[in-house]
Amino acid sequence: GDAWRILDGSVVMDGVVFDVCVSVGSLLMFFGFGWFFFCEMLYKNYEIKRIEVQLLFSGTLALSCNMLQLITFEIMGVMSFSARWWSWKLDLFLLDITLVIILPFSLIFVLFLDSGYPLRQAILFASFGLLAYLYTFYRVGLTFPITTADDTSSFFSMAHITGRIGVIGVFVMATLSGFGAVNLPYMYLSRFLKSVDSQTVQTLENRLIQSTEMLLAKKRRLIVRSSEHSAQAKRSSSVWGWASSFWNTSRSSFGHEDVASLQKEIQSLEEMNVHLFQELCEWHSEQQREVFSRTLMGQTFNLLGYFFSIYCLYKMVMATANIILQRVAKVDPVTRVLSVLFEILHFEIDIEFWSQNASFVLVGILILMSVRGMLKNILEMFSSLSNTVSSNSVVLSLSLVMGMYFVSSVILLRMSLPENYRKTVSEVLGPIKFDFYHRWFDVIFVISATFTIARFYYRNTTANNS
């Protein structure tokens, strides 16, 4: 009896050690990946000035990816049930605190500090900014039905905080999904390619070269005029300057007018150069797309474009129908597809077993696509915003959006899980009204996709007319 108790105790201890190693190892691995992504891809061409910004970005990415990994662990049965439960709770708690308090405060603090404010003033403004953010965050829960009717928990409960984060995250996810559902077929289909005339591209290149040469000539002329004006001002202040002031007055005013005129001309030429360069880049991009479309890979992408066009149309029709009929799917898509398929083929097969394995593959693909898509969007947004706003502020803003995006991914991915795995996720998230988030996603998706279609149509119509 004692031997069995010792053996059972050692088995339990081994299980605990394994759970701790997997949980801590996963977080460290994702943190390392976030650190590498930050240094080698996001901040590759920038000087890292604030190590705390790098820590916050890597930590937020680690917690987000670990939460998505726990969904796959639910299906695979990795770690014990209690270990997964506490990992869920700890991960969600740390992510909520990071998204509601730490990141907003840090973002406002860095904004003021990088603007030249003293440390104490930056802390004071960041504190007031955090209070304003928390009030807005609180109002979100009063505007949207984020929890079930029988929920009696307070604003500070994890369900209310996660629900409010989900509202913003689902909005971001649906907006990106609506744009991507239209943009992907538009980029892949060869029928949307512009007919590129080599003579037009050559003419644009010549215009850009001539404009650049003219700009350089006027800048040289401005430097010469400014030097002459400075030298004249020194001579006017000398002993002989008062005797020749009458003759220099008219020349001085003419010099001022000449410098001002040159500055206006230079500004106009710089603006024209920017427009010419952007137009030339668009034409070169279209040339590359046209060459790529004639390759085997380009023709494959063209076929994929038709597939995604059908999918986009189907998604928009189904989302619109869900909005009008106020319906939400109750069965995960894998089980529904397998049930219909096996019923048509008259196969007698264990649907639960196959849906479990298929759901694991589907959820894994969805998680990988979510992480890849979000990181790709982060790179694009960072490169476009970091030139106008402090790069530290951009990174913190993107960390905030990224965390909310992944929290909302868990809320929406719950529907892709079979019922027995869905229960654990529902219990961890609390009394959240999941149906609302799916309808909220459908509404924003339809609006985003419709707006993107209208924008592409207007751009193509304008280009064809011009």
Side-chain angles (χ1 to χ4, degrees), residues 75-99:
I75 301 175
M76 296 174 64
V78 178
M79 300 196 304
S80 63
F81 175 80
S82 59
R84 292 198 305 270
W85 174 269
W86 285 110
S87 295
W88 269 111
K89 286 291 186 180
L90 180 62
D91 197 293
L92 199 59
F93 172 76
L94 292 176
L95 199 54
D96 285 350
I97 293 296
T98 302
L99 297 176

Side-chain angles (χ1 to χ4, degrees), residues 107-324:
L107 172 60
I108 302 169
F109 172 75
V110 169
L111 274 172
F112 280 101
L113 201 63
D114 289 347
S115 299
Y117 285 83
L119 178 63
R120 298 180 68 176
Q121 289 187 12
I123 294 175
L124 181 64
F125 288 139
S127 301
F128 284 116
L130 179 62
L131 291 176
Y133 173 82
L134 289 175
Y135 176 75
T136 306
F137 191 75
Y138 167 75
R139 297 295 302 178
V140 169
L142 302 181
T143 308
F144 298 97
I146 59 175
T147 56
T148 56
D150 57 347
D151 176 45
T152 57
S153 56
S154 65
F155 162 71
F156 299 100
S157 65
M158 193 175 294
H160 277 265
I161 294 174
T162 306
R164 285 168 168 82
I165 293 173
V167 171
I168 305 172
V170 169
F171 176 85
V172 174
M173 178 185 288
T175 302
L176 295 175
S177 299
F179 172 77
V182 178
N183 184 64
L184 202 61
Y186 181 81
M187 296 299 295
Y188 282 1
L189 287 174
S190 57
R191 63 176 301 172
F192 291 116
L193 290 174
K194 296 178 184 177
S195 57
V196 181
D197 184 12
S198 300
Q199 186 63 36
T200 304
V201 176
Q202 186 65 41
T203 303
L204 271 174
E205 289 176 350
N206 292 334
R207 285 180 61 190
L208 182 60
I209 292 171
Q210 292 173 1
S211 177
T212 304
E213 291 175 349
M214 190 183 301
L215 179 63
L216 291 173
K218 288 190 178 293
K219 285 189 173 182
R220 292 192 199 100
R221 189 175 166 190
L222 178 63
I223 292 172
V224 172
R225 292 294 184 189
S226 299
S227 301
E228 291 177 353
H229 180 66
S230 300
Q232 186 178 351
K234 290 180 180 178
R235 286 195 300 269
S236 299
S237 61
S238 64
V239 178
W240 296 97
W242 64 272
S244 58
S245 60
F246 176 78
W247 298 100
N248 289 335
T249 301
S250 59
R251 294 179 62 186
S252 177
S253 61
F254 174 76
H256 277 294
E257 291 176 1
D258 194 20
V259 169
S261 176
L262 280 172
Q263 288 175 341
K264 289 180 181 179
E265 291 176 7
I266 288 172
Q267 185 178 359
S268 300
L269 282 172
E270 286 177 342
E271 292 176 358
M272 187 175 71
N273 271 14
V274 170
H275 292 304
L276 285 174
F277 181 76
Q278 290 176 347
E279 189 176 356
L280 186 61
C281 286
E282 290 179 5
W283 281 108
H284 277 301
S285 177
E286 289 298 324
Q287 272 187 327
Q288 293 173 0
R289 286 183 62 193
E290 189 177 15
V291 171
F292 177 76
S293 66
R294 293 194 291 267
T295 63
L296 179 61
M297 184 65 73
Q299 293 173 3
T300 306
F301 275 38
N302 186 48
L303 292 175
L304 285 174
Y306 283 105
F307 169 77
F308 284 121
S309 298
I310 297 171
Y311 172 76
C312 174
L313 183 62
Y314 167 79
K315 186 70 177 175
M316 287 188 68
V317 171
M318 294 302 296
T320 306
N322 292 338
I323 295 168
I324 296 173

Side-chain angles (χ1 to χ4, degrees), residues 23 97 105 191 221 275 285 315 363 368 371 391 421 457:
S23 182
I97 293 296
F105 179 85
R191 63 176 301 172
R221 189 175 166 190
H275 292 304
S285 177
K315 186 70 177 175
V363 170
L368 289 175
V371 175
S391 57
Y421 302 115
Y457 176 78

Side-chain angles (χ1 to χ4, degrees), residues 26-37:
S26 298
L27 281 172
L28 291 176
M29 180 184 67
F30 289 131
F31 185 86
F33 170 73
W35 193 277
F36 172 81
F37 179 81

